[in-house]
Amino acid sequence: MSRPLDIAILELSLEQRSGTALPGLAMERVLRERGHRARRVGPPAGLWERLRAEERRSARSWLRRATGRPPLDALDALARHLAAMLRAERLDVVIARGIEVGCVFLHDVPGFKILDWPNIQYVEAYSSSESDLSRVDALFRRERAVLEASDLVISPGQHLTRFTEATVRVDGLVDKLVTVALGCEPTSHTAHFSAAPRMVYAGSYYPIQDPYLLSRLTALAPFPMDCYGPQQPPDAHLPGRLNYRGFAPDSAFLANYQVGVITLSRDRLREASPATKLAYYFAHGLPVLFPWWMKEGHDFPACAVPYDEATFAARALSLVRPGCWEEMSRSALQVGLNCTWEKTLTPLVSALELRLHANIIENHGEDQTLS
Amino acid sequence: MARRVIPGAEFAAAEKERFALRRRLARRWTGAPALPQTWEIVAERVSPWVRGLKPDLVLARGPRAALAALPGDKTRFAVDLEDVATLRLALRWYVDGPDLEATSRREAAVLERAAVVAVPHEDVGQLLHEAFPSLAGIADRVVVVPDGMTRGPQRAVARDGAVVCLHPVTHGDDPLLLAALQSRLERPLRRIGSPGPQVSFLPSPPPEFGADEAVSFGLVTRLADRLSRLCGRRVVSLLEYGIPVLAPRWLAIDPALEPAVARYEEASFEADFAAALARFDALRDAAEAAQRSWNSTLDRFLTRLGA
């Protein structure tokens, strides 16, 4: 065993309740179990929101314009704050979770720099409605700089890795890219067959999850579909109301359902992106219905079934037939057991320890290596 | 006597004005949940002027103009929509609930009030019906008005010619897909039009300008989301040059133009291109036969308007 590493896992917010927080929590736990000193850190509560508000104000400030000063750049201000915070500590590794906090690598930061990159920000902006290509390009240039400054880049799924390799032109990126799949927590709460089945959606309600599609599916579903998530979704504009049940602090509630549902927008990034909820549905023994354009879903034909709006109801009914459901649920549980965070994070831990070892030898000589 | 009003500049100015101090103070004062919408500000500016014209009919073109142009009860009102404003807003990167709700209410009021709703494809009508299930009788007021054509300079069309695309590409044209297909084409891809904005995020440079080369197909790319896939205007623009078209399978196209269009999927692009070449003569003849004037496509719409 090498000496424990001091690892900071940098988050944009330590309070977030969505699935985005789960990989960071899992990294902290698994790295601690491997003997390292890992801890999640982030900016003070409310700082990011204050900087964003200041950015909007400064973009309209006549005083700034009159004095020729550019508007405040919230990401840059946040990065400077975080860099100062990290420099005050003795760190071997900084794992920045997301491009927003990854901007810290554009400043002088100690340690081995790992960017956890679940979302290609400029492609997300590209996929957004009424996007402007110049703005997308500005985001790309910043993202490229962060990627160039990172020592290792984590992609959360094989399909996204392939998409990244084909789409993102950044020198040296392919050599830094490591796929670390999303995982789940083992659980004893597993679903049971029911003659009165129910479906569940657990997640956020941003455009990328396509609440409109979720609303359509709620109307089309042949049996009840409940929704959970960190915040009440705005749904007055949707063609039908969602059966929002609130936020659950853990995932045990999934065992009360028979089918897990995934929705996501139809664009090139989301087609290739993995879903955090998929592994959690499997861990609770839920067969899953996923939109046919989601590539990851097709990797699990024994427990996940593709749908479109026209086929959704029929596919849902076919999943809950006696015999069929039990078989798919068993397959789902098996997949869940094979993708616990302990297993999925192994490439990160191995790459981190190997590369760090080599890095320290290169920089400080054999006597300073992990002993 | 027809006049065009509500220029785009009004919307750009209104977008800035949303955040003006006066607007923000008014919001605090009235306890409004959201900043005023862009269309509210445009409506404030334009409505008095439109009322002053005393028109017999207001025809609002596009979802944004429709939101801003809702006239008083006595004026006949029609809208020409290529998509749904609320859903377009909902597809933004991040959007606030109050903005969505206000836009949705306004759009429902617009659709309720419009005597005629012109759409370029029946799928847009279907989407309106689906997105506003509480609106009674909307299906009866929807008229499909396909795009007409203005004959462009004709290009030499040949089986072994280059593939062309229309430039500059905009966001909805999916330049990332265009770049991905460009790398897989075994013949030159040329552009018709200017190179467009210089952006560095595309994995390959924009195609070179093709002036007098013979052309085999026009290549259309398009985002696949619920709204973008309904806009097949690029197909019509290429057919104006008499060029048969390669278009994504998900793109909604006027059924009358289908004989001049070969469909592709990104995953099977090479095979789909080979299949299109195998029936090249039929596609070329259909492209030539697809020409139609605006007069012919607008006829039904104008009849419904009583114009």
Side-chain angles (χ1 to χ4, degrees):
Chain A
M1 167 61 192
S2 52
R3 77 164 166 82
L5 300 173
D6 279 305
I7 303 171
I9 301 167
L10 195 54
E11 303 270 10
L12 186 59
S13 165
L14 296 175
E15 278 92 42
Q16 61 186 342
R17 305 196 296 176
S18 68
T20 310
L22 295 173
L25 289 163
M27 282 177 195
E28 182 181 51
R29 180 175 59 73
V30 169
L31 290 168
R32 281 183 179 179
E33 285 168 4
R34 303 281 175 109
H36 299 298
R37 287 190 289 266
R39 64 199 180 285
R40 293 166 74 236
V41 295
L47 175 67
W48 174 233
E49 290 72 21
R50 280 202 301 280
L51 289 172
R52 290 286 300 275
E54 172 64 17
E55 182 182 64
R56 284 193 291 271
R57 271 198 301 276
S58 74
R60 298 185 298 275
S61 163
W62 62 268
L63 187 60
R64 274 184 183 264
R65 261 178 273 169
T67 54
R69 281 188 303 153
L72 176 90
D73 181 334
L75 273 179
D76 188 56
L78 178 72
R80 286 175 193 283
H81 179 93
L82 294 173
M85 193 177 87
L86 295 175
R87 276 196 296 269
E89 303 191 41
R90 187 184 161 81
L91 291 167
D92 297 306
V93 181
V94 176
I95 303 176
R97 298 206 52 248
I99 206 75
E100 292 91 347
V101 288
C103 289
V104 77
F105 295 159
L106 301 177
H107 299 273
D108 182 24
V109 172
F112 192 69
K113 300 172 188 65
I114 300 179
L115 176 69
D116 180 13
W117 197 34
N119 192 27
I120 307 175
Q121 194 182 45
Y122 81 91
V123 185
E124 180 170 273
Y126 172 90
S127 308
S128 169
S129 162
E130 295 172 13
S131 192
D132 138 20
L133 296 183
S134 306
R135 181 169 166 271
V136 173
D137 210 41
L139 288 170
F140 168 71
R141 288 195 297 271
R142 189 192 305 251
E143 206 152 12
R144 179 174 59 192
V146 174
L147 291 165
E148 285 170 349
S150 304
D151 297 312
L152 193 73
V153 177
I154 298 172
S155 161
Q158 286 291 352
H159 297 287
L160 190 60
T161 303
R162 281 196 282 276
F163 174 80
T164 303
E165 288 169 350
T167 309
V168 185
R169 291 284 181 269
V170 174
D171 289 343
L173 176 61
V174 172
D175 299 329
K176 298 177 186 177
L177 206 53
V178 175
T179 304
V180 179
L182 296 173
C184 60
E185 301 291 349
T187 177
S188 56
H189 300 278
T190 56
H192 298 280
F193 178 77
S194 170
R198 293 195 302 158
M199 281 189 270
V200 64
Y201 168 87
S204 299
Y205 300 91
Y206 293 115
I208 58 176
Q209 286 92 14
D210 200 350
Y212 185 90
L213 176 59
L214 195 57
S215 158
R216 291 279 300 151
L217 299 184
T218 303
L220 294 167
F223 42 89
M225 181 158 85
D226 291 339
C227 298
Y228 294 80
Q231 282 173 328
Q232 170 96 36
D235 63 358
H237 68 287
L238 298 174
R241 289 293 169 100
L242 306 176
N243 299 322
Y244 179 68
R245 300 289 181 196
F247 173 73
D250 62 47
S251 59
F253 71 95
L254 293 174
N256 301 327
Y257 293 86
Q258 281 66 49
V259 177
V261 175
I262 291 178
T263 54
L264 79 166
S265 60
R266 192 173 167 197
D267 58 70
R268 294 164 69 72
L269 177 61
R270 296 306 155 200
E271 283 174 6
S273 296
T276 315
K277 56 181 80 64
L278 187 63
Y280 279 83
Y281 286 159
F282 289 153
H284 292 274
L286 296 180
V288 172
L289 282 164
F290 66 95
W292 65 266
W293 54 88
M294 179 188 179
K295 291 180 180 170
E296 189 193 21
H298 295 277
D299 295 341
F300 306 100
C303 47
V305 174
Y307 69 81
D308 59 24
E309 284 186 41
T311 59
F312 181 74
R315 297 273 161 93
L317 284 172
S318 72
L319 276 185
V320 295
R321 279 179 292 141
C324 173
W325 186 89
E326 285 90 337
E327 198 178 323
M328 293 195 88
S329 179
R330 273 195 299 276
S331 299
L333 286 170
Q334 192 54 51
V335 173
L337 284 175
N338 290 337
C339 62
T340 57
W341 287 112
E342 279 73 14
K343 291 177 181 167
T344 61
L345 287 174
T346 300
L348 168 65
V349 177
S350 306
L352 190 156
E353 292 181 348
L354 272 174
R355 292 193 187 210
L356 187 74
H357 190 85
N359 207 36
I360 290 176
I361 290 174
E362 189 180 306
N363 292 334
H364 305 291
E366 189 66 42
D367 58 328
Q368 295 288 311
T369 60
L370 320 172
S371 55
Chain B
M1 283 190 300
R3 293 186 193 212
R4 296 176 71 208
V5 296
I6 313 185
E10 290 285 355
F11 283 94
E15 189 61 44
K16 283 186 185 166
E17 197 185 318
R18 279 189 81 195
F19 301 99
L21 181 63
R22 163 173 85 85
R23 298 281 179 184
R24 282 182 285 146
L25 287 174
R27 177 193 171 198
R28 293 278 164 85
W29 182 257
T30 58
L35 286 163
Q37 303 299 311
T38 310
W39 45 259
E40 275 181 79
I41 298 169
V42 177
E44 275 175 26
R45 291 178 178 191
V46 174
S47 293
W49 190 67
V50 172
R51 274 198 301 274
L53 292 173
K54 296 191 171 64
D56 296 315
L57 166 75
V58 171
L59 168 60
R61 294 213 52 245
R64 292 195 312 171
L67 293 175
L70 190 62
D73 288 345
K74 290 179 184 166
T75 310
R76 195 165 160 74
F77 179 54
V79 291
D80 173 18
L81 302 177
E82 74 272 25
D83 67 18
V84 184
T86 308
L87 301 187
R88 178 65 63 196
L89 185 63
L91 282 174
R92 274 197 187 175
W93 195 356
Y94 292 111
V95 59
D96 287 332
D99 285 345
L100 275 172
E101 290 181 21
T103 302
S104 173
R105 280 196 303 273
R106 176 75 168 193
E107 189 161 37
V110 164
L111 292 169
E112 189 82 66
R113 173 78 176 74
V116 181
V117 179
V119 295
H121 192 280
E122 62 184 21
D123 286 2
V124 181
Q126 179 61 35
L127 188 61
L128 285 169
H129 187 59
E130 177 189 293
F132 297 95
S134 59
L135 280 182
I138 178 83
D140 299 333
R141 287 177 284 131
V142 167
V143 183
V144 177
V145 184
D147 286 332
M149 296 183 199
T150 307
R151 187 96 180 180
Q154 297 302 285
R155 303 290 298 253
V157 178
R159 184 192 303 268
D160 56 356
V163 174
V164 293
C165 59
L166 290 168
H167 251 255
V169 289
T170 61
H171 162 255
D173 295 323
D174 200 352
L176 277 175
L177 174 59
L178 186 68
L181 299 183
Q182 186 177 357
S183 67
R184 291 162 62 181
L185 264 177
E186 289 179 354
R187 57 178 70 196
L189 177 68
R190 304 287 188 226
R191 65 180 156 78
I192 301 177
S194 68
Q198 291 295 311
V199 290
S200 52
F201 72 86
L202 292 174
S204 53
E208 289 175 16
F209 182 67
D212 300 320
E213 257 174 299
V215 169
S216 54
F217 290 104
L219 177 61
V220 171
T221 53
R222 191 76 192 153
L223 293 177
D225 66 71
R226 187 175 289 107
L227 295 174
S228 301
R229 71 172 198 83
L230 296 177
C231 182
R233 199 151 279 159
R234 291 288 198 181
V235 172
V236 175
S237 301
L238 281 162
L239 288 173
E240 287 179 337
Y241 291 90
I243 305 169
V245 175
L246 289 163
R249 207 173 299 284
W250 60 81
L251 188 64
I253 298 175
D254 175 11
L257 303 181
E258 281 291 352
V261 179
R263 301 291 196 154
Y264 68 82
E265 291 279 359
E266 185 182 357
S268 56
F269 181 67
E270 286 86 348
D272 294 336
F273 185 71
L277 276 177
R279 58 188 186 98
F280 179 78
D281 291 344
L283 287 163
R284 182 192 53 202
D285 294 347
E288 189 54 40
Q291 305 300 317
R292 63 187 181 198
S293 70
W294 276 104
N295 283 357
S296 64
T297 61
L298 286 173
D299 202 38
R300 194 159 155 243
F301 179 49
L302 295 174
T303 306
R304 283 287 291 271
L305 284 179

